[in-house]
Amino acid sequence: MKKMISPSMMCCDFFSLGKQIEIFENGGVEYLHIDIMDGHFAPNIALGADFCKELKKHTRIPLDYHFMVEKPENILPAYDISEGDIVSVHAESTVHLQRVLTMISDRGGQPFVAINPATPISAIEEVTDYIDGVLVMSVNPGFAGQKLVASTLDKIKRTRAFLDGRGRENALIEVDGNVSFENAKIMSGNGANIFVAGTSGLFRGNIEENLATMRKAIAI
Ligand code: DX5
Ligand code: ZN
């Protein structure tokens, strides 16, 4: 399955955003990762609907929305979801998970369910037919620059087996958090397909060079 890169836009240098997006487009980046946080589900506030609307005017790269908010069903309608955008909502964040996932597909998005490091894979048991992928958090949501929760490396492998065991061989696995070049190689070998690239690798120094290094690290 394809290996794809999704730069974490909360880690961008906002004073040279246009230049960075040009680099992403020239580098064939597949998605732009948009962290949305409400200060409750995740202890931080990040990237609003207006920022995303503006961003869509300046690039055709699909967005990879990551809702780290309580009751995402309430805030989802405020965001522009275009055909092909990924929209991840946390299994831990709503009692209406199946309804939210269908809200996403009804709007043309790719519904993904996200699970925190301590959330068992079984939490997605009842929604495997309603998702296009699983976002496996490799850190606890909230901030860039955190250290990998080591158990999540094996969790990627177990998630792959879980999906394949339910006939969802075509469901993708995205990883988010401390995706360094070294971690990305292991994550890719364990079955990850989409890599949220942040301060651990991509944004550390020359972005163009780091993009090429990341491509090499995830290629297997
Ligand atoms: C974590 C964020 C990510 C990511 C940032 O809540 O969703 O954007 O961790 O990348 P790193 O971990 O490399 O700084
Ligand atoms: Zn994220």
Side-chain angles (χ1 to χ4, degrees), residues 8 10 33-37 64-68 90 135 137 141 174 176-177 196:
S8 174
M10 73 181 250
H33 189 78
I34 306 287
D35 284 316
I36 299 153
M37 300 185 220
D64 167 26
Y65 291 107
H66 177 193
F67 283 87
M68 291 170 272
H90 274 261
L135 170 56
M137 288 304 293
E174 179 170 2
D176 182 359
V196 175

Side-chain angles (χ1 to χ4, degrees), residues 26-46:
N26 297 337
V29 149
E30 288 81 5
Y31 293 99
L32 298 178
H33 189 78
I34 306 287
D35 284 316
I36 299 153
M37 300 185 220
D38 62 0
H40 296 282
F41 183 79
N44 196 351
I45 300 278

